[in-house]
Amino acid sequence: MSNNAKISKDFNKLDNILIIGNGGRENSLAWAIQKNELVKNVYLCPGNAGSHRINKCERINIEISNKTELVEKLNYLKIDLIVIGPEIPLANGLADFLREKNFKVFGPGKNGAKLEYSKSWAKEFMQDANIPTANFWKVNSLEEAKKIIYSSSNPLVVKADGLASGKGVFIPESKDECLISAESIFNGKFGNSGNVVVLEEKIQGPEVSIFALCDGKKYVLLPSAQDHKRLKEKDKGPNTGGMGAYSPAPLITKDYLNRIIKEIIEPTINALNKKNIDYKGVIYFGLMITKSGPKVIEYNCRFGDPECQTIMPLMDQNFVFLLEKCSMGNLTGNETIDSSNMFSGCVIATSKGYPNEYKTGFPIKIGKIDSNNCQIFDSGTSLGKNGELLTAGGRVLSIVCQDKDFDLVFEKIYKNLKEINFDGIYFRNDIGHQVRKSFSKEN
Ligand code: AMP
């Protein structure tokens, strides 16, 4: 797909796009979508202080729970396509509601979002469809959990069933610790998300994220990615929402990808169809590459953050067409993505204390940035009284660059990071260590 004018005949109007969400993920989606010359306005609801810096982008503040106001505003803005970023509105059925009102929506309905908002449902779904995943037990009480924990040969992974902002997974070292984790979940650490607990066999191997844009029946894959969830260097410390990522993942060769498609991606889409789930959105496959092959660790019903910020700069101007085709159910499945053979990386600058308590409101100073194939996507920022950029979240900025190898990518990212400062700034220096040749020499 290279000729926009020719392609435009095949597409409905794409003047006005709305993206729901307020993080780095949504800003990077907006950045990739605005590249297309047919797109006139990209509205971010609510977006953050970085949204204005993106070409064609404007923030709007609509209370999405106020359905009447929402529909009025979308009609007033003549919105042609809605992209829903975060999992919570998807789990609450926002996509279903907007489709009923005849809007084109990229994002699954509530039944598809269940892949993410109920881990036990997703595990049973995989079991029924013979999709490789770690063995598991769904438990409804601490007594049940105790029996399974102490009868298993090794400590199990303990997960809250529902949404928990990436914090609902425990990987204890001992069985006693497993029980303590299960107890904390049943005692309400994650509210109703912890009414059910999933216990899982601990599996091992590198992790990789695969994204399939899906129109209900057909799909297109985005470049693979690997992220770093742990707070500290050498992949130590607590799990976070993500401290950085790189794409594509060299681990996933063409042959291995074919295996993943055959064993995981196509069986997942077929199983959704069998359940009459018309999944129009992205399916995130969080995989572990074990000795016995790829296994699904989790599904998400939305783009991962920071993988999305990493992958979006690899998209060409046709990305928005893919989203629209998914929303309409008319992918051919043969669409290709021209990622210009570039490599991309992202490092997240966080507030001191994250992922636990942290302070916000510190001024962000940005010096002389190399902007050649480099982006800064705001993750958690706000504007002060005088228009100054302030920290407003645990993850503050996503520093992203592309180049023809990963060494050059991360050299540029860390050079740009030297130009960025705020009180308590923290980031990992070893993001992408697996793919940086210069890193292994230096360390
Ligand atoms: P999740 O939120 O389910 O992706 O889990 C968060 C992280 O916990 C994953 O990225 C893995 O590093 C780890 N994890 C989850 N499930 C397992 C498992 N069954 N075995 C080993 N590690 C796991």
Side-chain angles (χ1 to χ4, degrees):
M1 296 208 293
S2 57
N3 184 333
N4 232 8
K6 185 167 151 275
I7 284 165
S8 65
K9 287 193 202 128
D10 302 335
F11 288 88
N12 299 310
K13 218 162 61 67
L14 279 173
D15 290 358
N16 300 308
I17 315 289
L18 173 77
I19 301 174
I20 292 176
N22 68 352
R25 168 182 49 210
E26 288 75 22
N27 280 328
S28 69
L29 285 166
W31 186 89
I33 287 171
Q34 61 75 32
K35 271 189 188 175
N36 190 299
E37 65 199 37
L38 297 182
V39 173
K40 296 202 175 81
N41 301 296
V42 182
Y43 298 100
L44 282 121
C45 172
N48 62 34
S51 306
H52 287 295
R53 294 201 307 271
I54 302 167
N55 196 19
K56 306 181 194 174
C57 288
E58 195 182 310
R59 290 176 72 181
I60 54 168
N61 207 349
I62 322 171
E63 184 46 65
I64 55 175
S65 59
N66 184 340
K67 298 281 165 56
T68 317
E69 191 196 339
L70 176 64
V71 171
E72 270 171 20
K73 186 85 179 186
L74 299 186
N75 282 325
Y76 173 76
L77 293 171
K78 297 192 169 58
I79 296 297
D80 298 306
L81 175 68
I82 300 165
V83 181
I84 303 177
E87 63 278 21
I88 292 175
L90 292 165
N92 289 338
L94 182 63
D96 303 294
F97 169 77
L98 292 168
R99 283 193 189 101
E100 272 164 31
K101 299 287 170 196
N102 293 319
F103 289 102
K104 278 190 276 175
V105 183
F106 180 87
K110 188 169 179 154
N111 57 6
K114 201 161 187 180
L115 281 181
E116 177 164 357
Y117 77 74
S118 172
K119 287 189 191 285
S120 60
W121 188 86
K123 291 298 276 190
E124 282 163 358
F125 171 94
M126 287 187 259
Q127 194 173 44
D128 291 348
N130 258 326
I131 294 166
T133 187
N135 292 330
F136 74 100
W137 298 262
K138 174 184 175 182
V139 290
N140 295 297
S141 70
L142 194 60
E143 269 316 295
E144 261 183 86
K146 197 171 178 179
K147 269 190 214 143
I148 289 159
I149 289 168
Y150 287 102
S151 62
S152 71
S153 40
N154 292 306
L156 299 172
V157 175
V158 182
K159 301 184 175 183
D161 185 53
L163 298 178
S165 308
K167 293 181 189 140
V169 175
F170 297 88
I171 310 187
E173 296 293 328
S174 71
K175 294 181 184 180
D176 291 347
E177 270 181 62
C178 287
L179 193 66
I180 293 168
S181 305
E183 192 172 17
S184 74
I185 299 175
F186 279 125
N187 280 347
K189 192 173 168 99
F190 305 105
N192 288 342
S193 288
N195 290 349
V196 170
V197 164
V198 175
L199 300 170
E200 274 183 35
E201 162 207 16
K202 198 188 283 181
I203 55 175
Q204 273 176 343
E207 291 177 49
V208 64
S209 312
I210 305 278
F211 299 89
L213 306 182
C214 186
D215 78 343
K217 298 248 169 341
K218 301 216 170 65
Y219 66 92
V220 176
L221 296 183
L222 299 187
S224 57
Q226 281 188 272
D227 76 340
H228 295 265
K229 286 210 168 68
R230 301 296 197 93
L231 178 70
K232 297 200 175 145
E233 283 163 20
K234 299 196 163 67
D235 292 316
K236 298 228 163 27
N239 266 334
T240 67
M243 297 297 291
Y246 58 90
S247 171
L251 188 68
I252 305 302
T253 59
K254 219 171 171 186
D255 282 348
Y256 207 83
L257 183 64
N258 284 334
R259 179 172 180 184
I260 292 171
I261 291 173
K262 205 164 134 250
E263 294 179 15
I264 292 173
I265 294 171
E266 294 190 342
T268 298
I269 295 171
N270 292 339
L272 288 168
N273 279 316
K274 243 173 129 181
K275 289 188 181 297
N276 286 324
I277 296 175
D278 187 20
Y279 197 108
K280 290 179 162 49
V282 62
I283 308 176
Y284 167 117
F285 299 84
L287 306 180
M288 200 170 255
I289 309 303
T290 71
K291 283 199 181 110
S292 59
K295 292 192 177 177
V296 178
I297 287 280
E298 64 162 348
Y299 290 115
N300 285 171
C301 62
R302 34 88 198 188
F303 290 102
D305 182 330
E307 293 98 321
C308 189
Q309 293 95 302
T310 316
I311 294 171
M312 282 306 113
L314 298 176
M315 299 293 102
D316 62 18
Q317 60 177 348
N318 297 309
F319 176 65
V320 69
F321 292 145
L322 294 177
L323 301 183
E324 124 113 320
K325 282 185 170 196
C326 289
S327 77
M328 299 285 285
N330 60 14
L331 278 180
T332 65
N334 295 322
E335 290 86 350
T336 52
I337 289 163
D338 173 18
S339 57
S340 340
N341 293 324
M342 290 284 251
F343 295 84
S344 185
C346 169
V347 176
I348 303 286
T350 65
S351 299
K352 184 179 168 192
Y354 174 79
N356 300 314
E357 272 181 35
Y358 54 83
K359 291 193 179 130
T360 58
F362 297 113
I364 302 171
K365 292 183 207 87
I366 302 185
K368 207 168 173 299
I369 293 289
D370 175 358
S371 57
N372 183 21
N373 284 323
C374 292
Q375 307 78 28
I376 298 176
F377 297 120
D378 291 33
S379 293
T381 61
S382 64
L383 289 180
K385 275 194 200 122
N386 303 316
E388 69 278 27
L389 195 62
L390 302 175
T391 65
R395 293 190 295 166
V396 178
L397 296 172
S398 313
I399 319 303
V400 188
C401 291
Q402 301 76 50
D403 216 308
K404 56 184 189 301
D405 69 47
F406 281 121
D407 284 309
L408 294 170
V409 164
F410 284 98
E411 199 180 294
K412 286 198 314 197
I413 291 179
Y414 285 109
K415 212 169 123 218
N416 276 349
L417 265 161
K418 284 206 173 98
E419 297 291 322
I420 297 172
N421 208 358
F422 54 82
D423 210 355
I425 186 171
Y426 171 77
F427 54 87
R428 279 178 56 168
N429 276 296
D430 67 343
I431 300 297
H433 58 83
Q434 305 93 321
V435 290
R436 286 158 62 185
K437 291 194 194 79
S438 57
F439 187 86
S440 42
K441 275 185 216 135
E442 286 161 19
N443 291 271

